[in-house]
Each structure stands twice: as structure tokens, then as C-alpha cells.
């Protein structure tokens, strides 16, 4: 559909409503990189990494070498406690070393993730080693929880700019509401892959479309896809004709 | 895969391939009166049946009402621990000092619940996310100390109430994120009752939850019909159909094999937005289907139909974006065009009840 893949070194958006398969698609993107021996980083902002690990087990992918960065904010405290910025504290860990249980908020301090601290941390990591593929799951969480004192659109733009300058190919997942307009983040990326979730009487039908792709031609049609044991599989018809059986 | 946590709802566990994944927060959503609280009670009752410690945090209804409602179903929830986080009547006189529930409330057994809690004359209880969190935490610690047991199941009924009464403004997203994180760290399987307030924004609890069970309710003629669907379930496969559901003497029963009657026999549709929408979806998809088949046929006959293909893809995009009315219009236009070009009606006639095109110019 993308006529060959994503152009390296640019940020892309994968958008869709909750439960449409964004995280799985992003994981597949990382796994592809791992198989080619690339350094990959998953930044978890929505789910604790231990749950991501359990969830991905069903696919039997070898993600052992995937580095995962836990950027979930701790439980917020109401008493004044020292707040540690994650940029000074957290390090990514390899998937294989990940514990099965959730990280607990420490008693006397809590970690707080802000866009600023995350960006700083990523900068440090990027300096230390070259990452080829990065997934931010999700920018909605980043926007909702980590931008308290920031102007959202401008900050998001600068974050994407930062990713571009770092020279990594990145996928940012974005939650879409059930109906209504797409959030502004979609305009900022170099491309958007949108996942659709539709219901009919026989269950959920999933579709995928390339909404925008700068610097390349792409398929204009909407294609159905499934989530199977092997992950997301797009059914690109043998001919160029769009799928029937909607 | 590890163990699953049964929901106790007949039929639903099968849809979930066994139940929830343990130690994660889930959401049950639906319009008012769709059975959310009953479903949550099933979940707790099942836990009690298996001898697990269970906790209900109520913010909507006072415990005495819940007790009365559940007695109708003949359920004894005697061993259920209940945390009453319903705020008092707001005091409008300034002399009464406001006291956080976190400092005064304690947890009771369901069987000790009698009447309504009477607001005190001298102070009014206020609920905040913080105080609720604190109460739950205290209760967890106490339980662990006294019986060395951990709560296995928690129900929060409802987050919408908490959101509406105890949080304001921008910060609510962060508070909910923090609250969900708090629930996850408790390592109990929690079920959060919530309502979708708006369809055009993404509400925090729905994308942060590890799964969502949605309850549907619509009017078919003068009968209320109910259905249940799983919208999202991380880390597991699931039955993705909308399944019919009833609320009877035994509580909720889901029928995974009898699908919700979207192809209702009576064509008289009076109310029920979701029902109407599903009809439109059905019609549009049938129509698109038949147009696509005709395009294939046209290819075979080597007729030029490139422009219609483009128009169809446009209609499909409308469909994906849920602009069903627009999609219907576009699909009807395509249908008329291709029929005209082929100069005859296609061999397989489209389903019986296609609406007449209102003013299709082609």
C-alpha cells in the first residue's frame, strides 16, 4: 500500500479508535526492524510495559532485544513530595528483562513525565546509541497527561521536529474519537495510516487506509485487514480492485 | 496464557475467551439504564462465590438503594465490602465545615447496610478523587493487615459521577490517568462503570482501560432491546459480534449465538438511534457491495469505469469516517451510474429493501 514502506528518518502517525490495533501494528514495525538487526525503542505512555509484554506473547514474536521505555507517570500525589523527572531517572530495558509485575509508585517520591523531560531523555538516549526505529504509544497520552503547562499544538510540532532531527523513523500512535474531526497532530506528521473499526451484524470489520504520505505515491483505496496470530494482515487484493464483502 | 478472571455473566465469559486478564482495569459503558451496575454486580458476585475478597466503591447510589435493588434479583451480597463515597447534601450555610470523606468514612459489609446515611448537622462530606484513592488504599492496607488477604476485585460505580462531581477542567485527564494507574498498581482486577458523554472526543478512561464492554439499548417498536459488545480487549482475542442480552430474574444473560436482531422483522422503526444507524450501515454496505460486483463485471466486459471506481472509493471513505448519509448518497449515485453504463440491470439483484434514490442525478 505504501509502495515500498516508510521513508526513513521521518515521523508517521498511526491513528484509530481504541481497540483498532494501533499498538499491534506499531509492534510489527519494530519487530521488522529487530529482524534486520536494527536498534528499536518502544516508549510506553499508555500501558505499563509488563502488560505490553504479556499482550504480545500471544503473537510469539521475538521481541527480546526490543528496548522499552516506561514513560507512565506515577500516581499523582496530593501531598507535596519530591517529583522526579524521568529524564534523570529512567532507562529503557530490554524486553527479555522486563518483570511480570507492575512497577509500584515509591512511597516518598513520584515520577512525573512531561514532554520536556521525555524529550531530554530521548535526546540523551539518541546520543548514546543510534536507534533506527522508535514508537511513541501514544501521543494522545503525551498530549493529555504530559503537557500541563504547554501549548499543545506547538509543543507537539516541536516534538515531531525533534524526532525528525534525531533521524529516527518513528511511528506515533494517535487515538481517534468515535466520530468527529481528527486531532491536529495528524497534520503535522509526514504521513498518516488510519485504522478504521466498523461494526455490522457479523462483528467488527477492520479497514486500513493511507490518508497521507508525503514524498511518495500510495494506494488510495481502503483495504480490509484482520488481526490474527501473526498480527495485522492487510488484504491487498490480487488485482487493484477494491475489496468486496464490505 | 495465564489465568482469566470470570465475569460471572452467562455468555460473556465465552465472548472474552474465558474472562478478563487479571490485575488490570476494565470499563463497562452504556447509556443510563442499560445494565452497567448489574453487570458490575455479577462480576463481584462471581468473585464472592469463589471466595475472593471484593470491594464496591459507590459514588452514584447510596448503598441502601443498591442493597434494595439487588434484593429484587435475589442476590445476597452479604460478604461484599462496600465503600460509600456518595457526597452529602451540599451545605449552603457556611457554618458547616466541609470534611473530606477520606477522613471519616469506613468500609462496611453489605449486610450492615441499613438506611440512608444521614448528613451530619455540623459538617458535610465532600468527595474528591484524592479522598477516594486514600480510602481505597487504607482499606487495602487494613485488609492485608487483618486477614492477610488482598482484594481481588474492585468495582468503581461510577467514574462518570466522580468526574462530574469531583473534578473540574483540564486536570481531569491527569487525575483519571493517575486514578487508573492507582487501580493497576493495586493488582486487583477492576471494573469501572462509565458513560460516554460525548462521541467526538476521546475520553481518558476509554483509551487507558485495557478493555471495554459496551452495553446497548434501543427501542424496537415499543420493546426495549438490549445487546452487548466488546469494543476492545488488549492481549486477547475475543468474540467481536454484537450479541443479544436480556436482564431477567437471574440478572444479565448474554446470547453469543443469537445475534442482536438487526435484521428485525418489523420494518417499523420509530426510535433508537443506534438501531437506525445500523440499518443505514447495512444498506450502504450492501449497496457498495453490489456496485463493486458490477465494477468487476464491467472490467470483464472491458467497459471504461475508472471514474466510477474513484467515486466508489470516495463513498467508501465517507463510510469509514462514519458519514453514513453522505456515503449512502454517493453509493446510490455510483449505483445509478454503473447501471446506466452497463445498460442493463445486473444479474444478482441487490437486497430487497433498498431505499429509493431520492434525487440521484448520476
Amino acid at each position: 500500500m505504501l509502495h515500498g514502506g516508510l521513508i526513513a528518518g521521518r515521523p508517521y502517525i498511526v491513528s484509530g479508535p481504541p481497540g483498532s490495533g494501533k499498538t499491534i501494528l506499531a509492534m510489527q514495525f519494530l519487530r521488522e526492524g529487530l529482524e534486520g538487526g536494527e536498534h528499536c525503542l518502544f516508549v510506553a505512555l499508555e500501558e505499563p510495559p509488563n502488560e505490553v509484554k504479556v499482550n504480545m506473547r500471544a503473537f510469539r514474536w521475538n521481541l527480546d532485544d526490543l528496548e522499552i521505555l516506561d514513560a507512565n507517570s506515577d500516581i499523582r500525589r496530593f501531598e507535596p513530595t519530591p517529583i522526579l523527572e524521568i529524564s534523570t531517572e529512567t532507562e529503557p530495558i530490554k524486553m527479555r528483562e522486563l518483570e511480570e509485575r507492575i512497577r509500584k509508585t515509591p512511597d516518598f517520591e513520584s515520577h512525573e513525565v512531561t514532554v520536556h523531560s521525555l524529550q531530554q531523555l530521548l535526546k540523551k538516549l539518541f546520543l548514546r546509541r543510534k536507534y533506527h526505529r522508535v514508537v511513541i504509544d501514544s501521543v494522545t497520552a503525551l498530549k493529555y497527561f504530559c503537557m500541563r503547562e504547554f501549548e499543545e499544538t506547538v509543543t507537539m510540532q516541536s516534538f515531531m521536529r525533534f524526532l525528525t532531527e534525531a533521524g529516527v523513523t518513528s511511528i506515533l500512535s494517535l487515538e481517534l474519537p468515535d466520530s468527529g474531526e481528527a486531532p491536529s497532530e495528524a497534520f503535522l506528521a509526514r504521513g498518516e495510516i488510519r485504522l478504521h473499526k466498523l461494526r455490522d451484524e457479523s462483528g467488527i470489520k477492520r479497514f486500513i487506509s493511507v490518508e497521507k504520505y508525503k514524498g511518495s505515491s500510495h494506494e488510495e483505496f481502503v483495504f480490509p485487514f484482520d488481526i490474527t496470530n501473526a498480527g495485522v494482515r492487510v488484504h491487498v487484493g490480487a488485482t487493484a480492485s477494491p475489496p468486496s464483502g464490505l | 496464557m495465564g489465568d482469566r478472571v470470570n465475569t460471572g455473566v452467562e455468555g460473556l465469559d465465552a465472548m472474552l475467551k474465558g474472562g478478563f486478564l487479571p490485575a488490570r482495569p476494565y470499563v463497562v459503558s452504556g447509556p443510563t439504564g442499560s445494565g452497567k451496575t448489574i453487570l458490575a454486580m455479577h462480576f463481584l458476585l462471581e468473585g464472592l462465590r469463589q471466595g475472593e475478597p471484593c470491594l464496591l466503591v459507590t459514588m452514584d447510589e447510596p448503598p441502601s438503594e443498591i442493597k434494595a435493588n439487588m434484593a429484587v434479583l435475589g442476590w445476597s451480597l452479604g460478604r461484599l465490602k462496600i465503600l460509600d463515597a456518595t457526597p452529602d447534601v451540599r451545605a449552603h450555610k457556611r457554618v458547616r465545615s466541609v470534611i473530606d470523606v477520606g477522613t471519616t468514612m469506613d468500609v462496611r459489609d453489605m449486610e450492615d447496610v441499613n438506611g440512608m446515611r444521614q448528613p451530619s448537622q455540623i459538617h458535610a462530606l465532600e468527595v474528591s478523587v484524592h479522598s477516594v484513592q486514600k480510602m481505597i488504599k487504607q482499606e487495602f492496607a487494613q485488609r492485608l493487615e487483618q486477614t492477610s488477604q488482598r482484594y481481588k476485585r474492585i468495582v468503581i460505580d461510577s467514574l462518570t459521577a466522580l468526574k462530574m462531581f469531583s473534578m473540574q477542567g483540564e486536570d481531569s485527564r491527569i487525575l483519571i490517568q493517575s486514578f487508573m494507574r492507582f487501580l493497576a498498581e493495586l493488582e486487583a482486577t477492576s471494573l469501572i462503570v462509565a458513560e460516554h458523554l460525548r462521541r467526538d472526543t476521546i475520553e481518558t478512561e476509554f483509551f487507558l482501560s485495557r478493555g471495554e464492554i459496551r452495553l446497548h439499548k434501543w427501542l424496537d417498536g415499543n420493546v426495549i432491546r438490549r445487546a452487548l459488545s466488546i469494543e476492545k480487549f488488549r492481549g486477547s482475542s475475543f468474540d467481536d459480534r454484537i450479541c443479544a442480552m436480556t436482564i431477567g430474574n437471574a440478572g444479565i444473560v448474554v446470547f453469543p449465538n443469537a445475534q442482536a436482531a438487526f435484521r428485525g422483522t418489523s420494518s417499523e422503526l420509530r426510535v433508537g438511534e443506534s438501531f437506525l444507524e445500523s440499518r443505514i450501515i447495512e444498506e450502504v454496505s450492501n449497496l457498495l457491495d453490489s456496485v463493486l460486483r458490477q465494477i468487476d463485471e464491467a472490467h470483464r466486459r472491458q467497459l471504461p469505469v475508472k471514474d466510477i471506481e474513484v467515486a466508489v472509493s470516495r463513498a467508501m471513505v465517507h463510510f469509514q469516517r462514519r458519514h453514513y448519509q453522505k456515503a449512502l448518497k454517493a453509493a446510490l449515485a455510483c449505483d445509478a451510474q454503473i447501471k446506466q453504463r452497463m445498460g442493463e440491470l445486473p444479474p444478482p439483484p441487490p437486497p430487497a429493501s433498498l431505499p429509493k434514490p431520492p434525487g440521484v442525478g448520476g
Side-chain angles (χ1 to χ4, degrees):
Chain A
M1 277 176 82
L2 294 167
H3 294 179
L6 299 173
I7 299 174
R10 297 183 176 181
Y12 295 94
I13 293 266
V14 171
S15 64
S20 55
K22 296 182 293 296
T23 307
I24 298 174
L25 191 131
M27 269 302 173
Q28 259 173 300
F29 163 76
L30 293 178
R31 175 177 158 263
E32 192 64 32
L34 289 172
E35 286 192 342
E38 297 176 346
H39 293 305
C40 299
L41 181 69
F42 183 87
V43 182
L45 283 144
E46 260 185 36
E47 284 177 294
N50 61 313
E51 291 185 13
V52 176
K53 184 178 182 180
V54 173
N55 292 349
M56 294 303 145
R57 200 176 281 158
F59 297 116
R60 294 174 212 285
W61 292 337
N62 182 8
L63 295 169
D64 283 351
D65 283 318
L66 175 64
E67 290 182 42
I68 203 166
L69 181 69
D70 184 0
N72 286 287
S73 278
D74 278 343
I75 304 169
R76 219 148 279 254
R77 276 172 207 279
F78 298 88
E79 314 89 66
T81 27
I83 286 175
L84 301 177
E85 292 215 324
I86 56 153
S87 58
T88 54
E89 278 290 303
T90 316
E91 288 281 324
I93 35 175
K94 296 260 187 192
M95 197 73 148
R96 72 160 72 83
E97 287 146 17
L98 207 57
E99 290 191 23
E100 295 266 314
R101 298 185 71 180
I102 190 166
R103 173 176 58 85
K104 294 290 178 68
T105 299
D107 275 339
F108 299 108
E109 60 199 27
S110 42
H111 297 277
E112 187 169 331
V113 181
T114 62
V115 170
H116 186 71
S117 65
L118 182 65
Q119 203 166 313
Q120 240 176 358
L121 173 59
L122 289 176
K123 206 170 183 175
K124 203 172 77 187
L125 295 174
F126 291 161
L127 276 178
R128 205 166 50 192
R129 97 191 276 190
K130 163 96 185 138
Y131 286 97
H132 299 90
R133 298 175 183 225
V134 173
V135 165
I136 313 282
D137 186 29
S138 65
V139 283
T140 312
L142 189 67
K143 179 170 130 188
Y144 273 26
F145 313 135
C146 312
M147 291 194 185
R148 215 162 8 161
E149 281 116 29
F150 301 90
E151 212 282 296
E152 288 174 354
T153 316
V154 176
T155 317
M156 196 54 84
Q157 190 199 10
S158 101
F159 189 71
M160 290 213 194
R161 168 103 201 156
F162 160 74
L163 288 174
T164 316
E165 284 180 7
V168 296
T169 315
S170 50
I171 282 192
L172 297 88
S173 68
L174 177 70
E175 303 281 344
L176 288 185
D178 276 351
S179 60
E181 292 300 300
S184 58
E185 291 76 20
F187 302 114
L188 298 171
R190 304 302 188 282
E192 183 190 355
I193 297 170
R194 189 171 292 180
L195 306 182
H196 313 263
K197 199 174 95 176
L198 270 181
R199 280 203 167 276
D200 67 8
E201 64 275 18
S202 68
I204 295 178
K205 294 273 191 336
R206 294 166 197 278
F207 298 92
I208 186 167
S209 62
V210 179
E211 294 288 310
K212 126 171 175 187
Y213 190 17
K214 291 205 173 162
S216 168
S217 60
H218 60 87
E219 291 292 331
E220 305 257 346
F221 287 119
V222 176
F223 290 97
F225 75 95
D226 285 332
I227 298 177
T228 63
N229 283 340
V232 170
R233 283 182 58 174
V234 180
H235 305 290
V236 183
T239 61
S241 73
S244 52
L246 248 172
Chain B
M1 297 299 300
D3 300 329
R4 294 296 180 105
V5 179
N6 302 340
T7 60
V9 177
E10 205 175 307
L12 179 57
D13 286 334
M15 286 176 76
L16 291 166
K17 312 282 171 198
F20 293 133
L21 297 173
R24 298 184 180 189
Y26 292 94
V27 166
V28 52
S29 69
T32 37
S34 56
K36 299 187 292 291
T37 303
I38 301 183
L39 190 134
M41 288 302 158
H42 268 290
F43 173 70
L44 292 175
L45 197 70
E46 176 67 17
L48 292 175
R49 207 178 55 76
Q50 297 181 10
E52 298 171 347
C54 297
L55 180 67
L56 168 69
V57 182
T58 174
M59 293 152 200
D60 262 355
E61 288 176 296
S64 54
E65 287 182 21
I66 295 180
K67 192 178 181 182
N69 294 348
M70 295 307 134
V72 175
L73 291 167
W75 292 351
S76 119
L77 294 162
R79 277 172 303 147
L80 177 67
K81 293 285 181 187
I82 188 159
L83 203 153
D84 182 3
T86 51
D88 273 346
V89 181
R90 285 263 151 141
H92 295 289
K93 268 190 288 174
R94 237 189 270 146
V95 274
R96 301 210 300 188
S97 54
V98 168
I99 291 188
D100 227 21
V101 273
T103 55
T104 54
M105 294 310 298
D106 50 5
V107 175
R108 287 180 289 175
D109 274 332
M110 193 62 139
E111 54 193 354
D112 299 335
V113 170
N114 289 316
M116 271 281 276
R117 167 163 57 80
Q118 289 304 315
S120 149
Q121 287 306 306
I122 38 171
H123 56 243
L125 296 175
E126 280 264 13
V127 175
S128 67
V129 188
H130 177 210
S131 58
V132 172
Q133 225 164 278
K134 206 155 99 187
M135 276 193 294
I136 298 176
K137 200 170 174 183
Q138 271 169 6
E139 176 57 24
F140 257 72
Q142 254 175 33
R143 181 83 180 194
L144 200 60
E145 204 174 274
Q146 287 166 2
T147 64
S148 69
Q149 277 181 312
R150 302 186 65 91
Y151 280 107
K152 287 280 171 53
R153 296 173 187 232
I154 308 179
V155 165
I156 311 290
D157 185 8
S158 69
L159 193 66
T160 313
L162 190 66
K163 200 155 94 179
M164 286 198 296
F165 305 134
S166 320
M167 303 175 186
Q168 318 90 336
E170 279 286 293
D171 261 6
S172 76
R173 296 161 171 181
I174 292 175
L175 287 175
I176 292 175
Q177 184 263 337
S178 161
F179 189 65
M180 305 261 298
R181 172 90 200 169
F182 169 74
L183 289 175
E185 284 190 25
L186 291 175
E187 294 184 275
T189 312
S190 46
L191 191 59
I192 298 165
V193 176
E195 260 173 64
H196 283 278
L197 296 177
R198 307 182 52 178
R199 288 194 71 193
D200 57 350
T201 53
I202 322 129
E203 288 169 81
T204 316
E205 57 271 34
F206 297 105
F207 83 82
L208 277 188
S209 71
R210 316 304 196 260
E212 180 188 347
I213 294 176
R214 196 175 290 177
L215 304 181
H216 311 263
K217 185 177 101 169
W218 70 94
L219 267 172
D220 181 8
N222 47 10
V223 190
I224 292 180
R225 298 210 184 271
R226 295 173 192 281
L228 177 151
S229 62
I230 300 168
E231 290 298 312
K232 132 172 179 184
F233 189 22
R234 289 202 154 153
S236 168
S237 59
F238 58 90
D239 188 338
D240 58 9
R241 294 169 302 172
I242 299 184
C243 296
M245 166 190 127
T246 58
I247 300 180
N249 287 336
I252 293 177
V253 180
V254 180
F255 303 96
N257 294 319
Q259 288 171 34
F262 282 143
R263 298 171 183 276
T265 42
S266 77
S267 56
E268 275 286 276
L269 302 176
R270 275 179 239 168
V271 221
E273 208 181 49
S274 63
F275 187 70
L276 239 153
E277 198 178 62
S278 72
R279 286 294 297 234
I280 294 178
I281 294 173
E282 192 183 309
E283 256 146 21
V284 177
S285 57
N286 284 339
L287 198 54
L288 284 173
D289 214 349
S290 97
V291 172
L292 293 177
R293 257 186 271 120
Q294 292 173 63
I295 287 177
D296 280 351
E297 178 63 29
H299 277 306
R300 230 168 287 134
R301 297 192 202 166
Q302 299 187 325
L303 290 170
V305 286
K306 191 74 197 167
D307 52 331
I308 300 178
E309 277 183 297
V310 171
V312 171
S313 73
R314 208 163 289 143
M316 287 165 88
V317 168
H318 282 310
F319 190 59
Q320 308 304 317
R321 302 232 166 100
R322 300 182 177 231
H323 301 153
Y324 298 122
Q325 305 285 358
K326 275 190 202 163
L328 184 62
K329 232 181 225 167
L332 283 168
C334 293
D335 193 45
Q337 262 182 349
I338 189 135
K339 274 180 187 152
Q340 195 189 356
R341 193 144 327 162
M342 309 238 305
E344 57 165 80
L345 287 172
S353 62
L354 280 180
K356 294 285 160 286
V360 183

